[in-house]
């Protein structure tokens, strides 16, 4: 069982930056592939980024590639999403997710993620 708590969301102007954090409970954090997803009003939840257990494998949605960076600190049971050059279309609720996959690579398959956080709102004004 893993509990995930996101933080770091807020209101920012276009071109600005935010860093989201996701703190995980449990002692086996390093066995989980971690991912970030987002959901805008009236839209499906979509993949943003994912990272393997040791950070050696990362995957990004095309829409955020080059602007967002996912990282993790297994000693702190935390995964991060650094978001730079934010755009109004990045406005959404951002969710952290965990997939129990020891040694597995990062991936975008939403159905494979077992645990989800409650989400944090990111609003980008134009």
């Amino acid at each position: 069982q893993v509990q995930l708590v996101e933080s770091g969301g807020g209101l920012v102007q276009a071109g600005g930056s935010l860093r989201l954090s996701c703190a995980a409970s449990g002692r086996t954090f390093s066995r989980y592939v971690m991912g970030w997803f987002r959901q805008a009003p009236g839209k499906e939840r979509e993949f943003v980024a994912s990272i393997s257990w040791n950070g050696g494998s990362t995957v990004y949605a095309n829409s955020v590639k080059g602007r967002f960076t996912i990282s993790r600190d297994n000693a702190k049971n935390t995964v991060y999403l650094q978001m730079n050059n934010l755009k109004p279309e990045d406005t959404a609720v951002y969710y952290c997710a965990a997939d129990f996959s020891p040694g597995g690579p990062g991936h975008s398959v939403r159905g494979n993620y077992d645990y989800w956080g409650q989400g944090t709102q990111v609003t980008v004004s134009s």
Side-chain angles (χ1 to χ4, degrees):
Q1 186 78 13
V2 174
Q3 291 186 327
L4 305 172
V5 179
E6 302 96 336
S7 61
L11 173 64
V12 64
Q13 288 189 330
S17 298
L18 282 175
R19 188 174 85 152
L20 305 183
S21 299
C22 172
S25 65
R27 296 174 293 177
T28 58
F29 177 72
S30 63
R31 296 186 180 184
Y32 288 82
V33 169
M34 299 300 297
W36 286 97
F37 289 75
R38 68 186 181 186
Q39 188 167 17
K43 295 190 176 181
E44 296 266 329
R45 190 171 298 188
E46 66 175 6
F47 170 75
V48 175
S50 177
I51 188 167
S52 62
W53 72 278
N54 64 350
S57 165
T58 56
V59 182
Y60 295 94
N62 288 335
S63 59
V64 307
K65 207 171 289 184
R67 300 187 298 122
F68 291 11
T69 303
I70 188 171
S71 61
R72 67 189 296 163
D73 185 338
N74 287 343
K76 295 182 178 179
N77 280 16
T78 302
V79 63
Y80 305 97
L81 185 68
Q82 178 66 43
M83 305 186 295
N84 297 329
N85 190 22
L86 282 159
K87 304 176 181 180
E89 51 264 43
D90 294 318
T91 295
V93 177
Y94 283 71
Y95 297 90
C96 173
D99 170 20
F100 185 72
S101 180
H107 68 83
S108 62
V109 182
R110 187 174 68 183
N112 284 5
Y113 286 88
D114 307 298
Y115 303 101
W116 294 82
Q118 83 290 348
T120 185
Q121 176 71 46
V122 171
T123 303
V124 184
S125 63
S126 57

